[in-house]
């Protein structure tokens, strides 16, 4: 009798390890659509490589895209401002909308100058970040050296960008776009491959 009980325990464990119909269905659903994800990843990789190979056209595309975004945001802010009469933020919305529209139109009229301006803003951001990292790194007790090194790297990048303008202004946004698309594409391809193995 005891031997029969001992033999039934492994069989019970195997039965519990077998996937239920619900788990099988959920796994199949999770694995669907991997082809679309793979195609998206491949397109992102191709777009990223194209941006890295031809950074100047990619930079102009980024500049025009930012200009379009500012125009749309500015128009929406003006519509909201004139539609919501008596609101306390109406004047702010009008000013924000006008400034956004003007900047967007300027980027469309002069994309090369706009690209250099975007690069200068990036340099200012990197420099401010580097200074803050140095400041906090000197005050930290843990990971002090890592924070200081990171601050020095960002400050060095700022100096490099400013010193090599206008060359960096005409290529850096496109290079950053290429790196972003490339990394996103590789991540999507890896995710699609994982989903494919689930099916």
């Amino acid at each position: 009798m005891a031997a029969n009980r001992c033999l039934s325990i492994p069989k019970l464990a195997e039965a519990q390890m077998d996937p239920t119909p619900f788990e099988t269905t959920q796994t199949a659903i999770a694995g669907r659509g991997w082809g679309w994800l793979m195609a998206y990843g491949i397109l992102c990789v191709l777009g990223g490589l194209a941006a890295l190979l031809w950074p100047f056209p990619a930079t102009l595309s980024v500049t025009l895209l930012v200009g379009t975004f500012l125009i749309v945001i500015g128009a929406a802010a003006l519509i909201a401002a004139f539609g919501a009469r008596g609101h306390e933020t109406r004047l702010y919305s009008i000013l924000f909308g006008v400034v956004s529209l003007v900047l967007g139109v300027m980027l469309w009229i002069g994309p090369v100058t706009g690209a250099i301006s975007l690069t200068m803003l990036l340099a200012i951001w990197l420099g401010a970040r580097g200074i803050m990292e140095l400041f906090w790194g000197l005050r930290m007790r843990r990971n002090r050296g890592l924070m200081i090194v990171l601050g020095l790297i960002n400050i060095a990048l700022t100096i490099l960008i400013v010193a090599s303008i206008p060359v960096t202004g005409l290529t850096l946004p496109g290079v950053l776009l290429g790196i972003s698309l490339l990394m996103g594409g590789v991540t999507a391809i890896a995710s699609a491959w994982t989903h494919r193995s689930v099916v």
Side-chain angles (χ1 to χ4, degrees):
M1 190 70 178
N4 291 334
R5 289 180 180 176
C6 292
L7 291 174
S8 63
I9 292 176
K11 293 181 179 179
L12 180 61
E14 291 178 2
Q16 291 177 348
M17 292 177 63
D18 292 337
T20 63
F22 175 77
E23 291 174 342
T24 304
T25 303
Q26 290 297 107
T27 301
I29 292 174
R32 290 177 183 174
W34 68 269
W36 291 103
L37 189 59
M38 178 70 75
Y40 165 74
I42 293 173
L43 287 176
C44 283
V45 168
L46 293 176
L49 292 175
L52 292 175
L53 290 174
W54 298 286
F56 179 65
T59 296
L60 294 183
S61 299
V62 171
T63 305
L64 295 177
L65 183 63
V66 173
T68 302
F69 174 77
L70 289 175
I71 291 173
V72 172
I73 291 298
L78 289 177
I79 292 173
F82 288 106
R85 295 182 178 179
H87 198 272
E88 58 184 358
T89 61
R90 187 186 182 199
L91 180 59
Y92 164 77
S93 297
I94 293 174
L95 292 175
F96 175 76
V98 170
V99 171
S100 298
L101 279 175
V102 170
L103 290 177
V105 172
M106 288 176 62
L107 289 178
W108 266 93
I109 294 176
V112 174
T113 305
I116 296 175
S117 300
L118 289 177
T119 305
M120 285 298 299
L121 289 176
L122 176 63
I124 293 172
W125 176 76
L126 282 174
R129 179 180 174 181
I131 292 173
M132 288 188 294
E133 287 165 347
L134 280 179
F135 177 77
W136 288 108
L138 294 173
R139 298 168 63 92
M140 290 171 59
R141 293 183 179 180
R142 298 179 180 178
N143 299 323
R144 180 180 183 181
L146 182 62
M147 183 65 75
I148 292 175
V149 169
L150 187 60
L152 291 174
I153 290 174
N154 283 325
I155 291 176
L157 287 174
T158 301
I159 296 172
L160 180 64
I161 292 172
V162 173
S164 55
I165 282 179
V167 176
T168 52
L170 300 178
T171 56
L172 184 61
V175 171
L176 294 177
L177 175 64
I179 293 174
S180 177
L181 288 175
L182 196 60
M183 294 179 63
V186 170
T187 303
I189 290 173
S191 180
W193 192 262
T194 303
H195 281 296
R196 180 178 180 272
S197 62
V198 172
V199 181

